[in-house]
Amino acid sequence: MNAHHDRPLRVALLGCGVVGTEVARRLTRDADELARRVGAPLELAGIAVRRAGAERDLPGVPADLFTTDADALVRRGDLDLVVEVMGGIDPAGDLVRAALENGASVVTANKALLAARGAELFEAAAKAERDLSFEAAVAGAIPIVRPLRESLAGDRVHRVLGIVNGTTNYILDQMTTLGQSFDEALAEAQRLGYAEADPTADVEGHDAAAKAALLAGLAFHTNLTLDDVYCEGITKVTAEAVRSATETGSVVKLLAICEQTETDDGVAVSARVHPALVPQSHPLASVRGAYNAVFVESEAAGDLMFYGQGAGGAPTASAVLGDLVAAARNRVGGVWGPGETSHADVELLPVGRALTRYHMDIDVDDRAGVLASIAQEFARFGVSIQTMRQDGRGSDARLVIVTHEAEDASLAATVEVLRGLDVVRDVTSVLRVEGGS
Ligand code: NAP
């Protein structure tokens, strides 16, 4: 097929770091093939960075394309497409907005930005009749935004369970397979480049929570921000808890869970991120190392799993370029693609009302009557016990209890009361159980 657009499409890059460098490299190397796929050449018109003079390994990319004036670049008025891969909320948000208002379609990999200012930016895109695409913002290379927005547009999604942060999955996998402590596994992840020097956003769950907000919005046609997502990281997960999980046939994973729940008043949506026990028989249990996966439960399609690399320059650039080609084709055709659907302004369910199960490790006195007094507290909160096992004797006596499904608030209240019982020496680990019955 020959290019049939009358002029090249002008593309600006905002950011040329891990992801931007791969995008620029592939745009240059694969220019002819991309032109054939789009129907017009894609021409790099400018690249905004912080350090314009820095050495960059980008053969074929003219040095005079680099600028530190990102604002002037997005406002120059002749851009067709802008790729935002600089990260952060400021100035990225205002730049994306200005790019849309100046007539460009935008592709971004920035989950933090969309989880903070998504509603406003999608509105700006709709008003400008331009695309705002973000496949790379959730789980890197894995196609999940387009499947939820397009392939499943005629189905009803009930639940999305995601391993959407490679750093934490790597750490938990090391703890499971090698028996390492959290600190040992984190140090190893940093040594191998899977974790940043400041790992807070990953290990505290903030990165996964931003992705959970985006996934819930797509799955349930509503708007969520980071503040709507309950978030617990993995820093308190102990080697002992991971070992105890393994003994019960489960593995510990950091999950992003987005659910639609029937309530007395209709339907409510919840999004939460926390470590959870996943039965070894569940497909998510086999997601190893720094890999990501998103498991979707829907009414007609049933269960679907999307699996692959959730980060890294080349994998993320694949998703960015997929969006870029789609948005460029739309420019050639004079159309724009499906925007966000946020018509379902549903109630947000607080985490306390989410239904889940708990796995608890409890150090107890080894004497008659202990089991009865513990069971009584569960009954008081209407929580039923699925399995209870005693390990060890004397001062090593420990109970491992797995509950049936109950509201999170009732389970948490039960744990609080157990902590105060005379017969309980310590509740050493409490983890939710997901993905099984
Ligand atoms: P990065 O390596 O830190 O690169 C950031 C780039 O943006 C650099 O080129 C930097 O310029 C430029 N920049 C930063 N602030 C700027 C400013 N105020 N004005 C102009 N330029 C600015 O980041 P990255 O890892 O490529 O990530 C980019 C985005 O992709 C983020 O939103 C991230 O969440 C998302 N993402 C990344 C991955 C991944 O695996 N890395 C995966 C999925 C999504 P200099 O080069 O001069 O420093």
Side-chain angles (χ1 to χ4, degrees), residues 13-21 47-54 56 66-71 84-88 90-92 95 108-113 135-141 196 207 211 310-317 320:
L13 271 185
L14 306 180
C16 195
V18 175
V19 180
T21 300
I47 305 176
V49 289
R50 253 183 317 222
R51 302 158 298 136
R56 301 178 197 263
F66 288 91
T67 172
T68 52
D69 195 346
D71 198 52
E84 187 278 301
V85 280
M86 65 167 48
D90 294 316
L95 293 170
T108 177
N110 192 337
K111 62 239 132 191
L113 172 61
E135 186 63 76
V138 186
E196 298 188 18
D207 171 81
K211 293 168 184 167
T316 309
V320 167

Side-chain angles (χ1 to χ4, degrees), residues 110-406:
N110 192 337
K111 62 239 132 191
L113 172 61
L114 294 179
R117 289 180 59 179
E120 169 216 328
L121 296 175
F122 290 122
E123 205 180 304
K127 199 163 158 218
E129 302 184 346
R130 292 291 182 263
D131 289 319
L132 172 55
S133 320
F134 59 102
E135 186 63 76
V138 186
I142 303 175
I144 183 60
V145 171
R146 193 166 284 118
L148 282 172
R149 187 159 59 184
E150 297 179 35
S151 319
L152 293 168
D155 204 343
R156 282 169 197 256
V157 173
H158 297 310
R159 198 147 91 120
V160 180
L161 292 175
I163 295 173
V164 290
N165 181 273
T167 307
T168 46
N169 202 55
Y170 176 84
I171 291 171
L172 292 171
D173 194 30
Q174 291 289 105
M175 292 174 74
T176 305
T177 50
L178 302 179
Q180 288 182 338
S181 69
F182 170 78
D183 289 335
E184 285 167 342
L186 171 61
E188 178 78 356
Q190 284 171 321
R191 198 179 61 76
L192 293 170
Y194 291 139
E196 298 188 18
D198 176 2
T200 312
D202 292 320
V203 298
E204 295 295 354
H206 306 152
D207 171 81
K211 293 168 184 167
L214 298 181
L215 285 171
L218 286 162
F220 307 125
H221 311 280
T222 188
N223 274 317
L224 272 82
T225 68
L226 188 60
D227 294 340
D228 297 325
V229 183
Y230 172 81
C231 179
E232 242 178 69
I234 64 163
T235 52
K236 296 197 188 84
V237 177
T238 62
E240 182 60 26
V242 170
R243 200 174 52 76
S244 173
T246 312
E247 284 165 7
T248 56
S250 298
V251 287
V252 181
K253 296 287 183 195
L254 181 72
L255 294 185
I257 302 166
C258 312
E259 283 177 316
Q260 196 159 44
T261 313
E262 304 276 336
T263 64
D264 294 343
D265 310 321
V267 196
V269 160
S270 64
R272 51 197 163 101
V273 167
H274 54 69
L277 262 68
V278 177
Q280 255 146 16
S281 55
H282 193 282
L284 285 175
S286 60
V287 178
R288 304 282 311 276
Y291 273 80
N292 281 198
V294 183
F295 190 81
V296 180
E297 300 171 13
S298 67
E299 184 181 271
D303 294 345
L304 302 161
M305 187 155 99
F306 303 83
Y307 170 84
Q309 294 187 64
T316 309
S318 166
V320 167
L321 286 166
D323 275 350
L324 189 66
V325 167
R329 285 172 174 158
N330 285 345
R331 296 308 305 262
V332 170
V335 295
W336 65 99
E340 287 320 276
T341 53
S342 55
H343 55 275
D345 197 11
V346 291
E347 184 200 343
L348 199 70
L349 200 70
V351 69
R353 287 187 53 207
L355 293 177
T356 185
R357 297 158 62 216
Y358 272 21
H359 172 286
M360 316 172 191
D361 292 336
I362 311 173
D363 287 349
V364 291
D365 287 346
D366 190 11
R367 59 181 155 89
V370 171
L371 292 187
S373 54
I374 285 180
Q376 198 179 3
E377 298 306 331
F378 279 86
R380 187 145 75 92
F381 289 98
V383 174
S384 71
I385 294 173
Q386 186 183 36
T387 59
M388 183 179 324
R389 191 183 83 221
Q390 179 170 347
D391 285 347
R393 300 304 308 263
S395 60
D396 290 332
R398 185 179 67 137
L399 288 180
V400 180
I401 295 177
V402 181
T403 72
H404 279 297
E405 204 168 65

